[in-house]
Amino acid sequence: MIKVLVVEDEPVAADAHRVYVERMPGFTVSGVVHSGGDALRFCEREPVDLVLLDFYLPDTHGLAVCRSLRAAGLPIDVIAVTSARDLALVKAAVSVGVVQYLLKPFTFASLREKLERYAEFHGASGEVTGQAEIDRALGTLRTTERQVLPKGMSAQTLEAITEVLASAADGLSAGAAATAIGASRVTARRYLEYLADNGLAQREPRYGQVGRPEVWYKPKTV
């Protein structure tokens, strides 16, 4: 069994990642922690093969966690699970030993593919006969497939909603998001809920003059 540590500061997202991993044959969740310090302490005392690592942690950055793991000589692989889109950060992640990079928000299908490829790479053993076998072994970690979103959702609309949300420091309603991207309120709410469920947005009730409170969405503070 491949032992996995989930490192994610958002409790809802952390629990979702745990459930996803537990659905994968050949994987087991050794623990779930919410900070970089707790992650390092866990890895020092418990056997861990793979860390699903959020980069934006309350006490440190995920890259610092990777560097500390390497400095401690711990033979642990890391899959970055983050909303960080800066290519310079991606390059830095590769330099500190991150084997795969999964961009939030994602679905179970996207993580499943990463874990299946990692399991194939992790399970390889013996001596190769030539360069082609080395290339194939390393190639198992790579994929060119696009992220799989829930049925009826598009990457373009998700990107538009994400950008609108990022620019709304004080939050916005589904109606405001719909107006901004030229979509229906129902569509905007579905994408905002998707972001909230994946730990990239925060729900906040706003009370008006009468009736039930309206749900507003704010970008997650990192």
Side-chain angles (χ1 to χ4, degrees), residues 120-208:
E120 184 178 351
F121 173 78
H122 180 79
S125 61
E127 185 173 339
V128 300
T129 58
Q131 183 65 46
E133 287 189 36
I134 293 177
D135 292 342
R136 279 196 298 271
L138 294 176
T140 60
L141 291 171
R142 306 291 176 251
T143 177
T144 58
E145 294 185 20
R146 295 175 62 86
Q147 175 180 325
V148 180
L149 294 171
K151 185 177 180 180
M153 295 183 70
S154 74
Q156 293 81 3
T157 304
L158 180 61
E159 184 72 21
I161 286 287
T162 301
E163 291 179 359
V164 169
L165 180 67
S167 65
D170 295 328
L172 78 171
S173 65
T179 300
I181 69 169
S184 71
R185 183 171 179 168
V186 171
T187 296
R189 176 177 287 110
R190 183 184 183 194
Y191 283 85
L192 287 167
E193 284 293 313
Y194 178 76
L195 291 173
D197 288 342
N198 283 275
L200 297 177
Q202 299 171 325
R203 300 179 182 90
E204 180 179 285
R206 296 284 179 94
Y207 294 87

Side-chain angles (χ1 to χ4, degrees), residues 73-108:
L74 296 172
I76 297 173
D77 293 320
V78 175
I79 295 179
V81 180
T82 177
S83 58
R85 297 167 180 263
D86 187 344
L87 282 178
L89 189 59
V90 175
K91 293 177 182 178
V94 172
S95 72
V96 295
V98 171
V99 297
Q100 290 178 317
Y101 199 101
L102 182 58
L103 194 63
K104 292 181 180 178
F106 61 89
T107 62
F108 170 65

Side-chain angles (χ1 to χ4, degrees), residues 34-93:
H34 306 291
S35 71
D38 286 343
L40 293 172
R41 285 186 287 272
F42 189 97
C43 290
E44 288 170 354
R45 69 174 188 267
E46 301 289 343
V48 175
D49 299 307
L50 175 67
V51 175
L52 294 188
L53 180 64
D54 183 19
F55 272 4
Y56 296 128
L57 299 169
D59 59 339
T60 188
H61 195 279
L63 289 178
V65 175
C66 293
R67 294 187 184 102
S68 295
L69 290 174
R70 297 295 170 262
L74 296 172
I76 297 173
D77 293 320
V78 175
I79 295 179
V81 180
T82 177
S83 58
R85 297 167 180 263
D86 187 344
L87 282 178
L89 189 59
V90 175
K91 293 177 182 178

